[in-house]
Amino acid sequence: MIMGSNGFKVGDRIEIDSIKGDVVNIGFLKFTLLEIAQDARFEQSTNRLIHFPNYNVVMHRYFVVSETMDFVWDEFRIFLTLESNWEKAEKICSQILNEELVLVPELVDAKIREMSKNYLVRLGKTTPIVYTSLEPEGLVLLSLRYLTPIRSKRVNRILISKEILKKFKEHDDIHIYSH
């Protein structure tokens, strides 16, 4: 039940009963996770081992990020003042996402083909995108969405953030909103 095409295996990242972690052991009566911090922005290990009796797989729904499809969508938001040149900011963010984070399309396609052997998978558009919207508070919201390997999520977020801060600093007409 645990291992097989509809289960998980050692090395997969799962979330079960609101606990997220990397599967490090599967035994006859229990399986063990190396816990991941609850803050979804970072995906960092807490270095705690959590043991689950195997019946949890039947009692609770669980989510799997397997080595077959080891990337996830990440999204984070930047609020700009209404006076900002949001078009320039959007263009800068888009360039950064496409230069810094490009997953090789062939790799993504190969992983989708592999998963489609067991599941009906349609991922749609896999390239990074910046969504722009006007918020009720009178702010401009840039939502950056991109695919990232699950174990590189935090590093990629840091690289993107630093690059955005550097680029925005070069322009007097882009103002990040801060409370």
Side-chain angles (χ1 to χ4, degrees), residues 71-118:
F71 50 88
V72 294
W73 284 105
D74 191 21
E75 183 170 332
F76 70 95
R77 301 169 177 197
I78 302 169
F79 289 94
L80 302 176
T81 64
L82 201 53
E83 298 78 28
S84 290
N85 186 339
W86 62 267
E87 291 142 321
K88 186 189 293 183
E90 180 184 56
K91 185 176 179 182
I92 290 169
C93 289
S94 194
Q95 286 172 339
I96 290 169
L97 288 180
N98 285 297
E99 291 170 6
E100 298 291 324
L101 284 181
V102 177
L103 281 176
V104 180
E106 296 79 20
L107 174 65
V108 174
D109 291 343
K111 290 188 178 246
I112 292 170
R113 274 194 308 278
E114 182 66 28
M115 272 201 77
S116 67
K117 292 177 184 175
N118 296 317

Side-chain angles (χ1 to χ4, degrees), residues 7-157:
F8 53 84
K9 61 187 179 311
V10 171
D12 287 350
R13 179 160 293 178
I14 70 167
E15 181 178 340
I16 186 167
D17 198 18
S18 300
I19 297 172
K20 190 183 295 186
D22 293 326
V23 179
V24 293
N25 188 12
I26 299 175
F28 185 66
L29 298 175
K30 68 179 180 176
F31 63 94
T32 306
L33 300 182
L34 180 60
E35 184 187 40
I36 301 297
Q38 293 297 320
D39 192 331
R41 294 175 296 168
F42 305 122
E43 301 284 339
Q44 284 295 121
S45 170
T46 63
N47 213 31
R48 296 189 312 184
L49 295 175
I50 301 176
H51 305 280
F52 288 90
N54 287 345
Y55 71 80
N56 277 281
V57 173
V58 177
M59 301 298 292
H60 301 282
R61 66 181 180 175
Y62 59 94
F63 305 92
V64 180
V65 177
S66 71
E67 290 179 6
T68 307
M69 188 83 132
D70 62 346
F71 50 88
V72 294
W73 284 105
D74 191 21
E75 183 170 332
F76 70 95
R77 301 169 177 197
I78 302 169
F79 289 94
L80 302 176
T81 64
L82 201 53
E83 298 78 28
S84 290
N85 186 339
W86 62 267
E87 291 142 321
K88 186 189 293 183
E90 180 184 56
K91 185 176 179 182
I92 290 169
C93 289
S94 194
Q95 286 172 339
I96 290 169
L97 288 180
N98 285 297
E99 291 170 6
E100 298 291 324
L101 284 181
V102 177
L103 281 176
V104 180
E106 296 79 20
L107 174 65
V108 174
D109 291 343
K111 290 188 178 246
I112 292 170
R113 274 194 308 278
E114 182 66 28
M115 272 201 77
S116 67
K117 292 177 184 175
N118 296 317
Y119 304 98
L120 178 61
V121 177
R122 291 190 184 115
L123 199 53
K125 183 177 177 155
T126 58
T127 54
I129 189 164
V130 178
Y131 294 105
T132 304
S133 60
L134 184 58
E135 297 298 297
E137 302 84 11
L139 299 172
V140 176
L141 171 61
L142 301 179
S143 297
L144 289 70
R145 184 169 162 83
Y146 54 92
L147 277 173
T148 182
I150 188 73
R151 288 172 175 81
S152 302
K153 186 175 176 180
R154 185 174 195 176
V155 171
N156 284 338
R157 194 174 265 261

